[in-house]
Amino acid sequence: MHDPFETEDDLLLPDAEGAAERPRSITLKDVARLAGLSPITVSRALHNPKLVKPDTIARVKEAAAAMGYIPNMLAGSLTTKRSQLIAAVVPQLSNSMFAETVQGLNDELSAHGYQLLLSLSNYSRQKEEDLLTAILSRQPDGVVLTGITHHPAVRKKLLATGIPVVETWDLTPSPIDIAIGFSQERIGEQVAQYLLGKGYKRFASICARDERAIRRREALEAELARHDIAPLATHLATPPTTLNLGREALRAILAAGHAPEVIVCSSDVLAQGALIEATVQGISVPDQLGIMGFGDFDFSAHTHPPLSSVHIDKRAIGVQAARSLIARIEGKALREKVIDVGFRLIERGTTRTIV
Amino acid sequence: MHDPFETEDDLLLPDAEGAAERPRSITLKDVARLAGLSPITVSRALHNPKLVKPDTIARVKEAAAAMGYIPNMLAGSLTTKRSQLIAAVVPQLSNSMFAETVQGLNDELSAHGYQLLLSLSNYSRQKEEDLLTAILSRQPDGVVLTGITHHPAVRKKLLATGIPVVETWDLTPSPIDIAIGFSQERIGEQVAQYLLGKGYKRFASICARDERAIRRREALEAELARHDIAPLATHLATPPTTLNLGREALRAILAAGHAPEVIVCSSDVLAQGALIEATVQGISVPDQLGIMGFGDFDFSAHTHPPLSSVHIDKRAIGVQAARSLIARIEGKALREKVIDVGFRLIERGTTRTIV
DNA sequence: CTGTTAGCGCGTTCAA
DNA sequence: TTGAACGCGCTAACAG
């Protein structure tokens, strides 16, 4: 097969001074002219080869390659009403669990010919709403949101466009369209029960200023309350949660004179920070202090001692979101609009093993 | 101001069965009709208000809000040839330094009204090339790539379109368009010199199978060779680099009977793993074993002992990439096509302080 | 300040 | 199996 570029020895270099004068781009028409066909035949040869004679296809492909033809999807999507674009809004990428979800989402979308338009809301409802308008103006085939609480206009706009939507990292009986996540409340409750079962009585927590983390903590405290236990202290940390925030939080809690038996963290990153701080201060974990994390990061099994945590399949949330969206776009009926990916308490070395 | 949605009590719910029948979307024409104006006036009122009388603008805005009008950017971009879209290709997001760069890129782009089309290449040149075609078909105003080595077709296509391009995380005298990064070679060399200066003689390394990491290691070994030192062992790890990979690597190196004085890691994540493994094995760091990381992650200053590392401003690479691209798009002349963001050796507790 | 005309590049629809 | 006409929704260019 011949090199499609061998005749191109006159490539234009981008212009260093001022706006680059882009060469007028090659269109379907140009290819058609070279191949001696009509534009529509070229279009079909490229996207719907069954309708075209094999040698015509060959002629088209050769012409397209020779000219370095790249289709203009803006124009295509304008007619077909399909953009092959999925938009996702997550709070943050640095130091967050969402990077894994975005990775999963991307991988699955990519495998199905979709592309990802990514926006970061920085945990701001207003920002999310602003982003959404810009997003919808790109006519995405689907939208992935983080969480279930949004600016009221978000729900309204999304319902008005009728576009498939997945809300992630949480569950709700009344999703905008589809929800894929897990119950914060059940986690809080089960963590409480687990730790109570271990005989812990004096609780503290280090919690990110993140709506879901807060709901988990509230559920935990509610369960403690049912056992007549009030938490000693809660330290709030603004995301992104870093290891140092965990260290500082534990330091602050201890400096305030609290002596918790166990400390519940809203992220393993914070938990690892607490673990290091405890180690540095000569507090033995788990003998003198238990530490419970969240997220089961891939470092969590390998700290010393390894972190007890709550496992969430962060990647699966993204993969599943992509699948549901694609199914919806392709008109397949969904088995369920609310998918619970669950969670698993992981007992490791930072919580005591004997009661 | 009146609620734009209060008259909308007939929102269509997405159809659970089969493809959603989307309501025909509201266009500029619809808004124009309601406002009693021509479409172009509405367009101007929305995007070029200086050309329009204030009360006309008010009428337009009211009509647009009442109808829940969302512009169709595909159509707009088709005419203007400007998509307000920047495409970025990075190898991975999970557990990688690129998440920070993407975050910086996004934040800066977002502040200037651009959106981000994100693709992940999984360190594959071929995948990058495949992605690029899909990317270019969206008519992005600019492209951000990771690294300076690409499939030959990548350079060709990019030059042919004349689109602004930034290559990141590395430097080269001959970028496709713009390069923003740092010199792998100088890092390898300086790390070698720094460690030699500390009196280390027996070196091992844990290195990701990543082109840039490998070049850093090679530069380090070249510098060692100049001092007649051959490294004892190199352990290669496939990205994403996890803490456990670092632990395993150190274990493997020791099990093979090597007794390095210092171990150079291509990422702080690996370094932290090595640190933990050393601690677990009762090897005192830095007394019996020095550990040098790379990347200066935000946990690195807070491990115990804190990690010596090479600081890279990962976020700045993204921010700077956005700025250069935007400048280019707006036709401003760039001061330089190759921007060295530099690096800084950070001496902390995992390398010995006395010679 | 506002409107008319034309066309961006493509795919749907209908016809041959 | 191929083609012609048309329109997707918008804005540039020109007019008034």
Side-chain angles (χ1 to χ4, degrees), chain A residues 33-329:
Chain A
R33 200 174 307 123
L34 181 63
L37 292 161
S38 75
I40 182 60
T41 303
V42 174
S43 169
R44 285 198 276 246
L46 262 22
H47 304 304
N48 229 334
K50 288 161 218 160
L51 302 179
V52 180
K53 207 170 28 169
D55 23 321
T56 309
I57 296 178
R59 258 203 299 163
V60 167
K61 291 213 163 154
E62 193 176 341
M67 306 189 77
Y69 172 64
I70 293 178
N72 183 331
M73 229 177 158
L74 298 186
S77 299
L78 190 57
T79 13
T80 57
K81 312 278 185 214
R82 300 271 271 84
S83 61
Q84 301 282 107
L85 195 66
I86 300 293
V89 185
V90 300
Q92 285 184 335
L93 232 39
S94 344
N95 228 314
S96 90
M97 322 210 193
F98 304 116
E100 289 245 6
T101 299
V102 172
Q103 173 94 39
L105 181 64
N106 172 86
D107 294 352
E108 189 71 13
L109 288 178
S110 174
H112 292 268
Y114 287 82
Q115 281 175 280
L116 178 66
L117 185 73
L118 183 70
S119 306
L120 309 181
S121 69
N122 194 31
Y123 287 100
S124 155
R125 226 104 120 184
Q126 184 58 56
K127 180 87 195 256
E128 186 189 54
E129 137 75 349
D130 296 345
L131 290 168
L132 186 69
T133 308
I135 285 169
L136 290 178
S137 75
R138 304 244 178 224
Q139 317 292 117
D141 291 340
V143 173
V144 178
L145 260 27
T146 307
I148 52 167
T149 59
H150 313 282
H151 190 292
V154 165
R155 194 184 189 95
K156 236 159 203 166
K157 282 184 186 165
L158 254 9
L159 289 175
T161 64
I163 196 178
V165 179
V166 179
E167 293 166 278
T168 58
W169 282 82
D170 211 338
L171 296 176
T172 167
S174 53
I176 297 175
D177 186 10
I178 302 168
I180 300 177
F182 50 88
S183 163
Q184 318 298 325
E185 285 72 17
R186 281 178 46 215
I187 289 176
E189 202 179 298
Q190 290 200 22
V191 167
Q193 288 166 357
Y194 164 72
L195 295 173
L196 288 167
K198 291 278 164 193
Y200 289 113
K201 299 236 182 319
R202 298 200 308 276
F203 288 74
S205 56
I206 306 175
C207 182
R209 279 195 189 78
D210 161 312
E211 181 195 325
R212 288 164 291 281
I214 290 171
R215 294 219 329 271
R216 290 193 297 273
R217 181 176 53 78
E218 287 172 349
L220 175 128
E221 292 180 357
E223 183 64 16
L224 295 183
R226 263 170 240 128
H227 293 77
D228 296 316
I229 291 180
L232 298 181
T234 293
H235 192 97
L236 287 176
T238 301
T241 51
T242 62
L243 191 148
N244 194 37
L245 243 27
R247 289 192 64 168
E248 288 177 352
L250 178 56
R251 227 176 293 145
I253 288 169
L254 298 176
H258 300 296
E261 291 168 324
V262 64
I263 187 145
V264 180
C265 304
S266 72
S267 148
D268 281 356
V269 175
L270 294 171
Q272 193 189 10
L275 173 58
I276 289 173
E277 184 63 25
T279 306
V280 169
Q281 296 210 10
I283 299 168
S284 136
V285 175
D287 300 335
Q288 296 170 267
L289 178 69
I291 298 177
M292 184 78 194
F294 174 81
D296 193 21
F297 284 58
D298 53 28
F299 62 77
S300 305
H302 308 285
T303 57
H304 182 66
L307 277 172
S308 294
S309 187
V310 178
H311 178 81
I312 301 294
D313 196 340
K314 310 184 260 312
R315 182 184 165 83
I317 293 176
V319 172
Q320 192 53 249
R323 289 198 188 137
S324 298
L325 235 29
I326 291 170
R328 208 96 174 48
I329 291 165

Side-chain angles (χ1 to χ4, degrees), chain B residues 39-282:
Chain B
I40 184 66
T41 303
V42 174
S43 169
R44 284 198 277 246
L46 263 21
H47 304 305
N48 229 333
K50 289 161 216 160
L51 302 178
V52 180
K53 207 170 28 167
D55 23 321
T56 308
I57 296 178
R59 258 204 298 164
V60 167
K61 291 212 163 154
E62 195 177 338
M67 305 190 78
Y69 172 64
I70 292 177
N72 183 331
M73 225 175 160
L74 299 185
S77 299
L78 189 57
T79 327
T80 59
K81 312 278 184 216
R82 299 273 270 81
S83 61
Q84 301 283 103
L85 195 67
I86 301 293
V89 185
V90 300
Q92 284 183 337
L93 232 41
S94 345
N95 227 314
S96 91
M97 323 210 191
F98 304 116
E100 289 245 6
T101 298
V102 173
Q103 173 94 38
L105 181 65
N106 172 86
D107 293 353
E108 189 71 12
L109 288 178
S110 174
H112 292 268
Y114 287 83
Q115 281 174 280
L116 179 66
L117 185 72
L118 183 70
S119 306
L120 308 180
S121 70
N122 194 30
Y123 287 100
S124 154
R125 226 104 121 184
Q126 185 56 57
K127 181 88 195 256
E128 186 189 54
E129 137 75 348
D130 297 344
L131 290 167
L132 186 69
T133 307
I135 285 169
L136 290 178
S137 73
R138 304 243 179 226
Q139 318 291 117
D141 291 339
V143 172
V144 178
L145 260 27
T146 307
I148 52 168
T149 58
H150 313 281
H151 190 292
V154 165
R155 192 182 190 97
K156 235 159 203 166
K157 282 183 186 164
L158 254 8
L159 288 174
T161 64
I163 197 178
V165 179
V166 179
E167 293 167 277
T168 58
W169 281 84
D170 211 338
L171 296 176
T172 166
S174 53
I176 297 175
D177 185 11
I178 302 169
I180 300 177
F182 50 88
S183 163
Q184 318 298 326
E185 285 71 18
R186 282 178 47 216
I187 290 176
E189 202 178 298
Q190 290 200 21
V191 167
Q193 289 167 356
Y194 164 73
L195 295 173
L196 288 167
K198 290 279 167 195
Y200 289 112
K201 299 234 181 321
R202 297 200 309 277
F203 288 74
S205 57
I206 306 175
C207 182
R209 279 195 189 79
D210 161 313
E211 181 196 324
R212 288 165 291 281
I214 289 170
R215 293 219 330 271
R216 290 193 298 274
R217 181 176 54 79
E218 287 171 348
L220 175 127
E221 292 179 358
E223 183 63 16
L224 294 184
R226 263 170 242 128
H227 293 76
D228 296 317
I229 292 180
L232 299 182
T234 293
H235 192 97
L236 287 175
T238 301
T241 51
T242 62
L243 192 147
N244 193 37
L245 244 25
R247 288 192 65 168
E248 288 176 351
L250 179 55
R251 227 177 293 146
I253 289 170
L254 298 176
H258 301 296
E261 291 168 325
V262 64
I263 188 146
V264 180
C265 304
S266 72
S267 148
D268 282 356
V269 174
L270 294 171
Q272 194 189 10
L275 174 58
I276 289 173
E277 184 63 25
T279 307
V280 168
Q281 297 210 11

